Amino acid sequence: MKIIICGGGQTGQAICEALWKTNDITLIDKDEQVINELFSQYDIQVVHGSALSPQILSDAGVEEADVFIAVTNDDEVNIVTSNFAKKLGAYYVCARVRRIGYYEDRDFTRQALNLDQIINPEFRSAELMNQVIHFPEANNIENFADGNVQIFELPINATSPLIDLTVNDFGQQLSSDVLVCVIKRGDDILIPTGDDHFEAEDTIYVTGLPKDIKSLTKSLHLKTKPLRNLFIIGGGTLTYFLLQKLPTHHFHIKVIESNRMRASELAQAFPNIEVINGDGTNQQLLLEEGLKYYDASLALTNHDETNILINLFAHSEGIEKNFTLVNRPYLLKPLTHMGLDTVITPKRAAAEKIIRLVRNHKATQQSTVTHFYQLVPNEVEALEFKILNHGKITANPLTDLELIDQTLLLNIQRDNQRIIPSGDTQIQVDDLVSIVTKHKDMNDINDFVK
């Protein structure tokens, strides 16, 4: 598949990393240093120049592009160059847009501008934050099977009753309807077997129906009530989309925003919240505004380092739950286990959606990828496949199928009903099947069968 990517920033790089081995990728960027670095890292073609130039697009081979992706830092550039690409012959075009006005009526925007897909990373990130606010023991939550099944990231602290239990014990003693799909232990990632056990400071990923996961958290004596008192630092696009999703009259929300005009706009748009025009890095101001009395601190400014420092301070003041906006996750590596739990990375969210779209376009006659999520970036993927026709995966019951290593079958969705995979289960055409794996670039579910 021929893919052209405009923009070599964090999102463009993530897309290259995920797709370069199995696709013909050309990257366009006006920064020569960026394209040289990515050219040296990946086996891709590069074109130096502005994506707004029809000649540059032609030099990149846009006329033959199966997928054209515009992810520069400028909405207008993404929209215009995607429109050019469509007119020049690209089959499917996708533009990242971040401005609120464009995305609020996204169907009209997409149709009016002749785009196949528009993606707003802040909107997707707000969805994640909304889910965790309502289920605060999770660090991250991802929906599969049309929203009927969740993958839930759960840290194990030093007092957890899970410590020293095996995965088999987990199923027998706590919940046979919730499956453990990944154990993250430091830098080690395990696709678990029944004999693997849990240790303090592990992070586990479990999957099941929302009601079953909620029942599990209750049996572990974890908090299941939503966070009601939210202290937000930063009133940008992500904050706007999050406030749109929350029934603000049911929450006590305070926002600290340094830009006076932006603070005024937020106060007018959301009259049920308290907006303070002030410097969110001023620790004295945060204390005076009652930070320590809130359930959660949400550091959502445009500066990664600022957000990290704000939430480290909030943690030191006793705030148990925090959300940290970080577009460069490598900044967090030296700070592991220092009090930062839910990390929001909008550019990663945008990249994952684009990767899913590309894989969906590579559907085989037997199956197509309908969902894609990186449980652990560059390490473990969760994939959902729609079974289109009979193949190796439908030929026999699961007990007679041998899957490749480092792979676990999580869930089967059939006619809006969840089936927990067991030995006598046989996958059928039209099923939605979820898999977690350490293998990359898998586009056909039959490739998981030996």
Side-chain angles (χ1 to χ4, degrees):
M1 180 177 287
K2 182 172 180 56
I3 301 170
I4 297 178
I5 303 170
C6 293
Q10 295 285 330
T11 305
Q13 182 173 346
I15 297 167
C16 285
E17 185 168 4
L19 300 176
W20 70 273
K21 290 182 180 178
T22 55
N23 297 279
D24 175 12
I25 291 180
T26 301
L27 175 77
I28 302 172
D29 199 288
K30 60 184 179 181
D31 187 324
E32 191 168 7
Q33 182 178 349
V34 167
I35 63 172
N36 287 338
E37 288 177 356
L38 293 180
F39 180 74
S40 65
Q41 272 187 284
Y42 309 110
D43 183 14
I44 62 174
Q45 302 299 313
V46 294
V47 176
H48 177 223
S50 170
L52 292 174
S53 163
Q55 184 58 53
I56 291 295
L57 296 177
S58 182
D59 291 344
V62 69
E63 297 87 352
E64 300 173 350
D66 298 297
V67 180
F68 182 92
I69 303 163
V71 287
T72 76
N73 289 324
D74 188 307
D75 283 0
E76 281 71 27
V77 169
N78 293 338
I79 290 170
V80 172
T81 193
S82 294
N83 195 265
F84 284 173
K86 193 71 171 178
K87 291 184 180 300
L88 288 169
Y91 178 74
Y92 189 93
V93 300
C94 174
R96 180 180 69 179
V97 296
R98 304 178 68 183
R99 192 169 298 175
I100 293 169
Y102 287 140
Y103 204 73
E104 284 190 313
D105 196 356
R106 50 193 172 277
D107 288 338
F108 173 80
T109 301
R110 181 178 56 79
Q111 294 172 11
L113 297 174
N114 197 27
L115 305 175
D116 294 296
Q117 184 68 256
I118 60 174
I119 292 174
N120 186 297
E122 283 76 17
F123 185 86
R124 174 68 184 92
S125 297
E127 290 180 325
L128 166 62
M129 293 177 67
N130 182 40
Q131 285 185 298
V132 176
I133 285 169
H134 285 86
F135 217 147
E137 286 300 332
N139 281 347
N140 286 292
I141 299 172
E142 186 68 17
N143 293 321
F144 278 74
D146 296 327
N148 294 313
V149 175
Q150 293 180 327
I151 295 182
F152 183 98
E153 179 186 339
L154 180 67
I156 299 179
N157 61 37
T159 61
S160 173
L162 291 175
I163 293 173
D164 292 331
L165 284 184
T166 66
V167 173
N168 279 336
D169 293 335
F170 177 93
Q172 293 168 7
Q173 299 177 25
L174 294 170
S175 178
S176 59
D177 294 326
V178 175
L179 302 179
V180 180
C181 49
V182 174
I183 301 174
K184 185 175 186 295
R185 182 171 298 151
D187 292 331
D188 294 329
I189 310 297
L190 306 176
I191 306 292
T193 65
D195 294 330
D196 287 312
H197 68 281
F198 306 117
E199 297 180 3
E201 307 299 340
D202 283 353
T203 296
I204 66 172
Y205 296 81
V206 299
T207 184
L209 299 175
K211 67 178 182 65
D212 294 326
I213 293 178
K214 191 164 188 175
S215 176
L216 170 67
T217 58
K218 284 182 178 179
S219 68
L220 294 174
H221 307 294
L222 302 175
K223 296 177 183 176
T224 57
K225 293 183 179 179
L227 303 168
R228 293 295 182 190
N229 303 302
L230 307 177
F231 196 102
I232 303 176
I233 302 94
T237 303
L238 178 52
T239 296
Y240 181 91
F241 282 131
L242 176 62
L243 294 175
Q244 270 195 330
K245 292 181 175 299
L246 294 172
T248 54
H249 56 284
H250 288 158
F251 290 79
H252 177 210
I253 301 174
K254 181 176 289 188
V255 178
I256 308 293
E257 167 55 42
S258 60
N259 182 286
R260 183 179 295 276
M261 182 177 295
R262 182 63 183 153
S264 176
E265 291 172 350
L266 274 180
Q268 292 178 30
F270 304 99
N272 293 319
I273 70 170
E274 183 179 1
V275 181
I276 305 296
N277 175 221
D279 181 3
T281 65
N282 184 330
Q283 295 180 357
Q284 187 61 37
L285 173 64
L286 300 182
L287 293 176
E288 288 175 356
E289 293 298 332
L291 170 65
K292 63 172 64 178
Y293 302 109
Y294 283 76
D295 298 331
S297 167
L298 294 78
L300 308 179
T301 78
N302 292 324
H303 305 287
D304 289 358
E305 295 85 350
T306 297
N307 295 332
I308 292 169
L309 291 174
I310 287 171
N311 271 343
L312 289 176
F313 173 69
H315 180 72
S316 73
E317 290 296 318
I319 304 297
E320 293 185 4
K321 187 69 180 179
N322 57 64
F323 299 77
T324 310
L325 174 59
V326 179
N327 272 306
R328 294 167 293 164
Y330 60 82
L331 293 173
L332 296 169
K333 288 185 178 180
L335 304 174
T336 304
H337 303 308
M338 290 186 64
L340 302 180
D341 40 37
T342 297
V343 176
I344 307 300
T345 309
K347 291 181 179 179
R348 173 185 159 193
E352 286 175 346
K353 185 165 184 178
I354 291 168
I355 292 165
R356 180 187 66 77
L357 289 170
V358 170
R359 291 195 180 181
N360 185 263
H361 275 278
K362 297 182 75 172
T364 67
Q365 290 186 342
Q366 280 73 40
S367 67
T368 184
V369 175
T370 56
H371 201 93
F372 168 86
Y373 179 63
Q374 291 186 325
L375 290 181
V376 183
N378 304 319
E379 294 280 351
V380 181
E381 297 178 353
L383 297 158
E384 181 182 84
F385 292 89
K386 174 82 170 181
I387 309 302
L388 304 177
N389 284 296
H390 290 290
K392 289 192 293 184
I393 198 72
T394 63
N396 295 293
L398 295 181
T399 191
D400 296 327
L401 296 181
E402 186 178 359
L403 299 183
I404 60 177
D405 66 335
Q406 301 296 323
T407 297
L408 185 64
L409 190 61
L410 299 181
N411 178 76
I412 300 169
Q413 189 80 3
R414 181 178 300 157
D415 297 329
N416 294 320
Q417 213 171 20
R418 184 199 182 200
I419 299 172
I420 299 174
S422 63
D424 59 355
T425 304
Q426 186 159 358
I427 294 172
Q428 300 177 9
V429 173
D430 291 331
D431 284 352
L432 287 175
V433 181
S434 302
I435 285 178
V436 64
T437 183
K438 280 190 170 185
H439 296 275
K440 299 180 181 179
D441 307 312
M442 305 293 275
N443 299 305
D444 187 340
I445 194 169
N446 294 285
D447 293 337
F448 288 101
V449 181
K450 288 185 177 180

